[in-house]
mmCIF file of all heavy atoms in Angstrom:
data_model
loop_
_atom_site.group_PDB
_atom_site.id
_atom_site.type_symbol
_atom_site.label_atom_id
_atom_site.label_comp_id
_atom_site.label_asym_id
_atom_site.label_seq_id
_atom_site.Cartn_x
_atom_site.Cartn_y
_atom_site.Cartn_z
ATOM 1 N N THR A 320 -4.588 -68.469 0.214
ATOM 2 C CA THR A 320 -3.199 -68.426 -0.205
ATOM 3 C C THR A 320 -2.945 -69.452 -1.272
ATOM 4 O O THR A 320 -3.775 -70.293 -1.557
ATOM 5 C CB THR A 320 -2.284 -68.693 1.008
ATOM 6 O OG1 THR A 320 -2.636 -69.987 1.538
ATOM 7 C CG2 THR A 320 -2.487 -67.669 2.111
ATOM 8 N N VAL A 321 -1.720 -69.374 -1.885
ATOM 9 C CA VAL A 321 -1.366 -70.268 -2.998
ATOM 10 C C VAL A 321 -0.259 -71.164 -2.533
ATOM 11 O O VAL A 321 0.731 -70.733 -1.952
ATOM 12 C CB VAL A 321 -0.964 -69.459 -4.237
ATOM 13 C CG1 VAL A 321 -0.529 -70.406 -5.345
ATOM 14 C CG2 VAL A 321 -2.121 -68.582 -4.729
ATOM 15 N N ASP A 322 -0.427 -72.466 -2.789
ATOM 16 C CA ASP A 322 0.604 -73.433 -2.454
ATOM 17 C C ASP A 322 1.801 -73.199 -3.377
ATOM 18 O O ASP A 322 1.652 -73.223 -4.600
ATOM 19 C CB ASP A 322 0.081 -74.842 -2.592
ATOM 20 C CG ASP A 322 1.151 -75.874 -2.265
ATOM 21 O OD1 ASP A 322 1.578 -75.931 -1.142
ATOM 22 O OD2 ASP A 322 1.525 -76.637 -3.204
ATOM 23 N N PRO A 323 3.019 -72.969 -2.822
ATOM 24 C CA PRO A 323 4.159 -72.620 -3.651
ATOM 25 C C PRO A 323 4.629 -73.802 -4.548
ATOM 26 O O PRO A 323 5.272 -73.589 -5.557
ATOM 27 C CB PRO A 323 5.253 -72.262 -2.647
ATOM 28 C CG PRO A 323 4.865 -72.950 -1.395
ATOM 29 C CD PRO A 323 3.337 -72.955 -1.390
ATOM 30 N N VAL A 324 4.300 -75.028 -4.131
ATOM 31 C CA VAL A 324 4.771 -76.185 -4.905
ATOM 32 C C VAL A 324 3.879 -76.445 -6.120
ATOM 33 O O VAL A 324 4.336 -76.586 -7.256
ATOM 34 C CB VAL A 324 4.847 -77.422 -3.996
ATOM 35 C CG1 VAL A 324 5.265 -78.668 -4.826
ATOM 36 C CG2 VAL A 324 5.817 -77.203 -2.866
ATOM 37 N N THR A 325 2.561 -76.475 -5.827
ATOM 38 C CA THR A 325 1.613 -76.833 -6.929
ATOM 39 C C THR A 325 1.018 -75.637 -7.616
ATOM 40 O O THR A 325 0.597 -75.723 -8.760
ATOM 41 C CB THR A 325 0.474 -77.647 -6.342
ATOM 42 O OG1 THR A 325 -0.242 -76.883 -5.354
ATOM 43 C CG2 THR A 325 0.981 -78.932 -5.677
ATOM 44 N N GLY A 326 1.050 -74.472 -6.933
ATOM 45 C CA GLY A 326 0.423 -73.273 -7.501
ATOM 46 C C GLY A 326 -1.098 -73.285 -7.367
ATOM 47 O O GLY A 326 -1.755 -72.426 -7.936
ATOM 48 N N TRP A 327 -1.622 -74.206 -6.573
ATOM 49 C CA TRP A 327 -3.063 -74.256 -6.350
ATOM 50 C C TRP A 327 -3.454 -73.496 -5.129
ATOM 51 O O TRP A 327 -2.677 -73.350 -4.202
ATOM 52 C CB TRP A 327 -3.548 -75.729 -6.225
ATOM 53 C CG TRP A 327 -3.229 -76.586 -7.430
ATOM 54 C CD1 TRP A 327 -3.109 -76.181 -8.697
ATOM 55 C CD2 TRP A 327 -2.949 -77.989 -7.392
ATOM 56 N NE1 TRP A 327 -2.844 -77.247 -9.515
ATOM 57 C CE2 TRP A 327 -2.727 -78.366 -8.758
ATOM 58 C CE3 TRP A 327 -2.874 -78.959 -6.400
ATOM 59 C CZ2 TRP A 327 -2.421 -79.679 -9.104
ATOM 60 C CZ3 TRP A 327 -2.584 -80.257 -6.753
ATOM 61 C CH2 TRP A 327 -2.365 -80.626 -8.098
ATOM 62 N N GLU A 328 -4.682 -72.957 -5.105
ATOM 63 C CA GLU A 328 -5.159 -72.195 -3.964
ATOM 64 C C GLU A 328 -5.399 -73.118 -2.780
ATOM 65 O O GLU A 328 -5.893 -74.221 -2.902
ATOM 66 C CB GLU A 328 -6.456 -71.470 -4.336
ATOM 67 C CG GLU A 328 -6.283 -70.346 -5.356
ATOM 68 C CD GLU A 328 -7.575 -69.633 -5.643
ATOM 69 O OE1 GLU A 328 -8.637 -70.126 -5.204
ATOM 70 O OE2 GLU A 328 -7.540 -68.578 -6.309
ATOM 71 N N VAL A 329 -4.984 -72.612 -1.583
ATOM 72 C CA VAL A 329 -5.121 -73.387 -0.371
ATOM 73 C C VAL A 329 -6.414 -72.983 0.340
ATOM 74 O O VAL A 329 -6.664 -71.791 0.516
ATOM 75 C CB VAL A 329 -3.918 -73.181 0.569
ATOM 76 C CG1 VAL A 329 -4.142 -73.903 1.907
ATOM 77 C CG2 VAL A 329 -2.644 -73.621 -0.093
ATOM 78 N N ASP A 330 -7.240 -73.960 0.671
ATOM 79 C CA ASP A 330 -8.449 -73.699 1.422
ATOM 80 C C ASP A 330 -8.048 -73.412 2.856
ATOM 81 O O ASP A 330 -7.500 -74.297 3.544
ATOM 82 C CB ASP A 330 -9.399 -74.913 1.370
ATOM 83 C CG ASP A 330 -10.774 -74.635 1.953
ATOM 84 O OD1 ASP A 330 -10.838 -73.928 2.949
ATOM 85 O OD2 ASP A 330 -11.785 -75.120 1.384
ATOM 86 N N PRO A 331 -8.299 -72.188 3.374
ATOM 87 C CA PRO A 331 -7.832 -71.853 4.738
ATOM 88 C C PRO A 331 -8.502 -72.683 5.829
ATOM 89 O O PRO A 331 -7.877 -72.910 6.885
ATOM 90 C CB PRO A 331 -8.194 -70.368 4.865
ATOM 91 C CG PRO A 331 -9.298 -70.164 3.874
ATOM 92 C CD PRO A 331 -9.022 -71.088 2.743
ATOM 93 N N GLU A 332 -9.731 -73.158 5.620
ATOM 94 C CA GLU A 332 -10.406 -73.919 6.641
ATOM 95 C C GLU A 332 -9.911 -75.364 6.664
ATOM 96 O O GLU A 332 -9.934 -76.043 7.702
ATOM 97 C CB GLU A 332 -11.934 -73.902 6.434
ATOM 98 C CG GLU A 332 -12.519 -72.515 6.598
ATOM 99 C CD GLU A 332 -14.036 -72.530 6.528
ATOM 100 O OE1 GLU A 332 -14.617 -73.605 6.375
ATOM 101 O OE2 GLU A 332 -14.609 -71.417 6.621
ATOM 102 N N VAL A 333 -9.489 -75.862 5.521
ATOM 103 C CA VAL A 333 -9.000 -77.245 5.434
ATOM 104 C C VAL A 333 -7.480 -77.281 5.636
ATOM 105 O O VAL A 333 -6.936 -78.230 6.212
ATOM 106 C CB VAL A 333 -9.418 -77.882 4.104
ATOM 107 C CG1 VAL A 333 -8.874 -79.307 3.976
ATOM 108 C CG2 VAL A 333 -10.936 -77.893 3.966
ATOM 109 N N GLY A 334 -6.782 -76.245 5.123
ATOM 110 C CA GLY A 334 -5.346 -76.233 5.225
ATOM 111 C C GLY A 334 -4.666 -76.941 4.075
ATOM 112 O O GLY A 334 -3.466 -77.151 4.138
ATOM 113 N N LEU A 335 -5.407 -77.306 3.046
ATOM 114 C CA LEU A 335 -4.824 -78.024 1.905
ATOM 115 C C LEU A 335 -5.288 -77.380 0.604
ATOM 116 O O LEU A 335 -6.405 -76.827 0.512
ATOM 117 C CB LEU A 335 -5.264 -79.489 1.907
ATOM 118 C CG LEU A 335 -4.825 -80.367 3.094
ATOM 119 C CD1 LEU A 335 -5.458 -81.721 2.991
ATOM 120 C CD2 LEU A 335 -3.300 -80.478 3.134
ATOM 121 N N PRO A 336 -4.437 -77.427 -0.452
ATOM 122 C CA PRO A 336 -4.904 -76.968 -1.759
ATOM 123 C C PRO A 336 -5.793 -78.039 -2.407
ATOM 124 O O PRO A 336 -5.721 -79.198 -2.092
ATOM 125 C CB PRO A 336 -3.578 -76.792 -2.523
ATOM 126 C CG PRO A 336 -2.693 -77.820 -1.929
ATOM 127 C CD PRO A 336 -3.032 -77.857 -0.462
ATOM 128 N N ARG A 337 -6.630 -77.571 -3.331
ATOM 129 C CA ARG A 337 -7.502 -78.486 -4.051
ATOM 130 C C ARG A 337 -6.981 -78.747 -5.459
ATOM 131 O O ARG A 337 -6.657 -77.813 -6.188
ATOM 132 C CB ARG A 337 -8.943 -77.929 -4.121
ATOM 133 C CG ARG A 337 -9.959 -78.911 -4.743
ATOM 134 C CD ARG A 337 -11.268 -78.201 -4.993
ATOM 135 N NE ARG A 337 -11.926 -77.824 -3.750
ATOM 136 C CZ ARG A 337 -12.736 -78.633 -3.030
ATOM 137 N NH1 ARG A 337 -12.958 -79.863 -3.439
ATOM 138 N NH2 ARG A 337 -13.297 -78.186 -1.939
ATOM 139 N N ASN A 338 -6.905 -79.984 -5.845
ATOM 140 C CA ASN A 338 -6.464 -80.365 -7.181
ATOM 141 C C ASN A 338 -7.584 -80.027 -8.181
ATOM 142 O O ASN A 338 -8.665 -80.626 -8.115
ATOM 143 C CB ASN A 338 -6.136 -81.866 -7.223
ATOM 144 C CG ASN A 338 -5.519 -82.295 -8.535
ATOM 145 O OD1 ASN A 338 -5.750 -81.686 -9.594
ATOM 146 N ND2 ASN A 338 -4.721 -83.353 -8.484
ATOM 147 N N PRO A 339 -7.378 -79.122 -9.092
ATOM 148 C CA PRO A 339 -8.462 -78.718 -10.022
ATOM 149 C C PRO A 339 -8.827 -79.818 -11.017
ATOM 150 O O PRO A 339 -9.911 -79.790 -11.595
ATOM 151 C CB PRO A 339 -7.856 -77.486 -10.751
ATOM 152 C CG PRO A 339 -6.382 -77.687 -10.681
ATOM 153 C CD PRO A 339 -6.118 -78.355 -9.343
ATOM 154 N N ASP A 340 -7.944 -80.779 -11.195
ATOM 155 C CA ASP A 340 -8.245 -81.885 -12.142
ATOM 156 C C ASP A 340 -9.124 -82.957 -11.503
ATOM 157 O O ASP A 340 -10.052 -83.477 -12.126
ATOM 158 C CB ASP A 340 -6.953 -82.529 -12.646
ATOM 159 C CG ASP A 340 -6.117 -81.523 -13.462
ATOM 160 O OD1 ASP A 340 -6.710 -80.681 -14.155
ATOM 161 O OD2 ASP A 340 -4.876 -81.645 -13.398
ATOM 162 N N THR A 341 -8.839 -83.305 -10.250
ATOM 163 C CA THR A 341 -9.606 -84.382 -9.586
ATOM 164 C C THR A 341 -10.675 -83.856 -8.644
ATOM 165 O O THR A 341 -11.573 -84.588 -8.269
ATOM 166 C CB THR A 341 -8.660 -85.258 -8.786
ATOM 167 O OG1 THR A 341 -8.038 -84.497 -7.745
ATOM 168 C CG2 THR A 341 -7.570 -85.826 -9.690
ATOM 169 N N GLY A 342 -10.571 -82.589 -8.245
ATOM 170 C CA GLY A 342 -11.521 -82.021 -7.283
ATOM 171 C C GLY A 342 -11.206 -82.449 -5.869
ATOM 172 O O GLY A 342 -11.955 -82.079 -4.935
ATOM 173 N N LEU A 343 -10.136 -83.185 -5.643
ATOM 174 C CA LEU A 343 -9.742 -83.649 -4.296
ATOM 175 C C LEU A 343 -8.706 -82.707 -3.689
ATOM 176 O O LEU A 343 -8.034 -81.960 -4.383
ATOM 177 C CB LEU A 343 -9.157 -85.058 -4.390
ATOM 178 C CG LEU A 343 -10.080 -86.166 -4.904
ATOM 179 C CD1 LEU A 343 -9.315 -87.467 -5.053
ATOM 180 C CD2 LEU A 343 -11.296 -86.341 -3.982
ATOM 181 N N TYR A 344 -8.613 -82.751 -2.370
ATOM 182 C CA TYR A 344 -7.590 -81.958 -1.696
ATOM 183 C C TYR A 344 -6.223 -82.668 -1.859
ATOM 184 O O TYR A 344 -6.166 -83.902 -1.915
ATOM 185 C CB TYR A 344 -7.923 -81.799 -0.220
ATOM 186 C CG TYR A 344 -9.064 -80.850 0.018
ATOM 187 C CD1 TYR A 344 -10.358 -81.299 0.317
ATOM 188 C CD2 TYR A 344 -8.871 -79.459 -0.061
ATOM 189 C CE1 TYR A 344 -11.415 -80.417 0.518
ATOM 190 C CE2 TYR A 344 -9.901 -78.571 0.156
ATOM 191 C CZ TYR A 344 -11.183 -79.049 0.424
ATOM 192 O OH TYR A 344 -12.227 -78.165 0.630
ATOM 193 N N HIS A 345 -5.180 -81.849 -1.940
ATOM 194 C CA HIS A 345 -3.834 -82.372 -2.189
ATOM 195 C C HIS A 345 -2.935 -82.030 -0.996
ATOM 196 O O HIS A 345 -2.891 -80.890 -0.541
ATOM 197 C CB HIS A 345 -3.256 -81.765 -3.474
ATOM 198 C CG HIS A 345 -1.909 -82.293 -3.821
ATOM 199 N ND1 HIS A 345 -1.736 -83.437 -4.546
ATOM 200 C CD2 HIS A 345 -0.661 -81.800 -3.564
ATOM 201 C CE1 HIS A 345 -0.458 -83.668 -4.726
ATOM 202 N NE2 HIS A 345 0.228 -82.677 -4.127
ATOM 203 N N ASP A 346 -2.239 -83.054 -0.499
ATOM 204 C CA ASP A 346 -1.306 -82.836 0.636
ATOM 205 C C ASP A 346 0.116 -82.739 0.055
ATOM 206 O O ASP A 346 0.664 -83.766 -0.384
ATOM 207 C CB ASP A 346 -1.401 -83.985 1.625
ATOM 208 C CG ASP A 346 -0.693 -83.668 2.950
ATOM 209 O OD1 ASP A 346 0.283 -82.908 2.916
ATOM 210 O OD2 ASP A 346 -1.118 -84.193 3.970
ATOM 211 N N PRO A 347 0.695 -81.563 0.030
ATOM 212 C CA PRO A 347 2.022 -81.418 -0.549
ATOM 213 C C PRO A 347 3.076 -82.255 0.149
ATOM 214 O O PRO A 347 4.033 -82.729 -0.458
ATOM 215 C CB PRO A 347 2.312 -79.907 -0.376
ATOM 216 C CG PRO A 347 0.977 -79.275 -0.242
ATOM 217 C CD PRO A 347 0.137 -80.270 0.474
ATOM 218 N N GLU A 348 2.910 -82.456 1.516
ATOM 219 C CA GLU A 348 3.898 -83.250 2.225
ATOM 220 C C GLU A 348 3.878 -84.705 1.793
ATOM 221 O O GLU A 348 4.921 -85.395 1.718
ATOM 222 C CB GLU A 348 3.657 -83.158 3.712
ATOM 223 C CG GLU A 348 3.916 -81.748 4.259
ATOM 224 C CD GLU A 348 3.769 -81.694 5.779
ATOM 225 O OE1 GLU A 348 3.577 -82.753 6.375
ATOM 226 O OE2 GLU A 348 3.850 -80.599 6.316
ATOM 227 N N LEU A 349 2.688 -85.229 1.523
ATOM 228 C CA LEU A 349 2.575 -86.590 1.026
ATOM 229 C C LEU A 349 2.829 -86.683 -0.455
ATOM 230 O O LEU A 349 3.135 -87.764 -0.999
ATOM 231 C CB LEU A 349 1.176 -87.184 1.379
ATOM 232 C CG LEU A 349 0.826 -87.306 2.875
ATOM 233 C CD1 LEU A 349 -0.591 -87.815 3.003
ATOM 234 C CD2 LEU A 349 1.790 -88.236 3.562
ATOM 235 N N GLY A 350 2.583 -85.582 -1.147
ATOM 236 C CA GLY A 350 2.739 -85.564 -2.587
ATOM 237 C C GLY A 350 1.616 -86.273 -3.306
ATOM 238 O O GLY A 350 1.824 -86.754 -4.426
ATOM 239 N N MET A 351 0.454 -86.328 -2.711
ATOM 240 C CA MET A 351 -0.672 -87.041 -3.360
ATOM 241 C C MET A 351 -1.991 -86.465 -2.842
ATOM 242 O O MET A 351 -2.034 -85.769 -1.840
ATOM 243 C CB MET A 351 -0.604 -88.534 -3.079
ATOM 244 C CG MET A 351 -0.694 -88.898 -1.582
ATOM 245 S SD MET A 351 -0.469 -90.638 -1.296
ATOM 246 C CE MET A 351 1.266 -90.853 -1.752
ATOM 247 N N ASP A 352 -3.051 -86.756 -3.612
ATOM 248 C CA ASP A 352 -4.402 -86.326 -3.244
ATOM 249 C C ASP A 352 -4.882 -87.196 -2.075
ATOM 250 O O ASP A 352 -4.536 -88.368 -1.968
ATOM 251 C CB ASP A 352 -5.379 -86.463 -4.421
ATOM 252 C CG ASP A 352 -5.023 -85.492 -5.529
ATOM 253 O OD1 ASP A 352 -4.267 -84.525 -5.275
ATOM 254 O OD2 ASP A 352 -5.541 -85.656 -6.665
ATOM 255 N N VAL A 353 -5.718 -86.582 -1.217
ATOM 256 C CA VAL A 353 -6.216 -87.299 -0.040
ATOM 257 C C VAL A 353 -7.747 -87.104 0.017
ATOM 258 O O VAL A 353 -8.271 -86.121 -0.492
ATOM 259 C CB VAL A 353 -5.578 -86.803 1.251
ATOM 260 C CG1 VAL A 353 -4.096 -87.093 1.269
ATOM 261 C CG2 VAL A 353 -5.830 -85.296 1.457
ATOM 262 N N ASP A 354 -8.414 -88.082 0.646
ATOM 263 C CA ASP A 354 -9.840 -87.943 0.919
ATOM 264 C C ASP A 354 -10.032 -87.067 2.150
ATOM 265 O O ASP A 354 -9.307 -87.207 3.121
ATOM 266 C CB ASP A 354 -10.478 -89.317 1.112
ATOM 267 C CG ASP A 354 -10.471 -90.152 -0.132
ATOM 268 O OD1 ASP A 354 -10.622 -89.565 -1.238
ATOM 269 O OD2 ASP A 354 -10.298 -91.384 -0.024
ATOM 270 N N TYR A 355 -11.047 -86.193 2.070
ATOM 271 C CA TYR A 355 -11.320 -85.287 3.192
ATOM 272 C C TYR A 355 -12.767 -85.414 3.589
ATOM 273 O O TYR A 355 -13.651 -85.342 2.746
ATOM 274 C CB TYR A 355 -10.958 -83.846 2.814
ATOM 275 C CG TYR A 355 -11.295 -82.832 3.931
ATOM 276 C CD1 TYR A 355 -10.444 -82.705 5.034
ATOM 277 C CD2 TYR A 355 -12.446 -82.066 3.879
ATOM 278 C CE1 TYR A 355 -10.719 -81.812 6.028
ATOM 279 C CE2 TYR A 355 -12.735 -81.176 4.898
ATOM 280 C CZ TYR A 355 -11.861 -81.037 5.962
ATOM 281 O OH TYR A 355 -12.147 -80.152 6.955
ATOM 282 N N ASP A 356 -13.033 -85.599 4.880
ATOM 283 C CA ASP A 356 -14.411 -85.715 5.402
ATOM 284 C C ASP A 356 -14.816 -84.396 6.081
ATOM 285 O O ASP A 356 -14.299 -84.095 7.179
ATOM 286 C CB ASP A 356 -14.489 -86.871 6.420
ATOM 287 C CG ASP A 356 -15.902 -87.115 6.893
ATOM 288 O OD1 ASP A 356 -16.840 -86.433 6.424
ATOM 289 O OD2 ASP A 356 -16.077 -88.020 7.720
ATOM 290 N N PRO A 357 -15.693 -83.584 5.445
ATOM 291 C CA PRO A 357 -16.058 -82.299 6.044
ATOM 292 C C PRO A 357 -16.802 -82.489 7.356
ATOM 293 O O PRO A 357 -16.868 -81.565 8.181
ATOM 294 C CB PRO A 357 -16.942 -81.664 4.957
ATOM 295 C CG PRO A 357 -17.434 -82.816 4.142
ATOM 296 C CD PRO A 357 -16.371 -83.831 4.147
ATOM 297 N N ALA A 358 -17.425 -83.651 7.583
ATOM 298 C CA ALA A 358 -18.196 -83.850 8.819
ATOM 299 C C ALA A 358 -17.293 -83.941 10.033
ATOM 300 O O ALA A 358 -17.613 -83.468 11.119
ATOM 301 C CB ALA A 358 -19.071 -85.112 8.700
ATOM 302 N N THR A 359 -16.104 -84.550 9.847
ATOM 303 C CA THR A 359 -15.158 -84.720 10.976
ATOM 304 C C THR A 359 -13.964 -83.764 10.893
ATOM 305 O O THR A 359 -13.254 -83.565 11.869
ATOM 306 C CB THR A 359 -14.619 -86.161 10.987
ATOM 307 O OG1 THR A 359 -13.906 -86.438 9.765
ATOM 308 C CG2 THR A 359 -15.750 -87.161 11.105
ATOM 309 N N GLY A 360 -13.752 -83.156 9.698
ATOM 310 C CA GLY A 360 -12.600 -82.290 9.525
ATOM 311 C C GLY A 360 -11.299 -83.054 9.420
ATOM 312 O O GLY A 360 -10.228 -82.457 9.646
#
Side-chain angles (χ1 to χ4, degrees):
T320 59
V321 177
D322 179 64
V324 177
T325 62
W327 300 331
E328 292 182 349
V329 176
D330 189 321
E332 294 185 4
V333 178
L335 296 175
R337 186 189 294 273
N338 188 331
D340 297 326
T341 64
L343 299 174
Y344 287 103
H345 183 85
D346 192 331
E348 294 184 5
L349 297 177
M351 60 185 69
D352 293 344
V353 296
D354 293 324
Y355 177 79
D356 185 2
T359 61

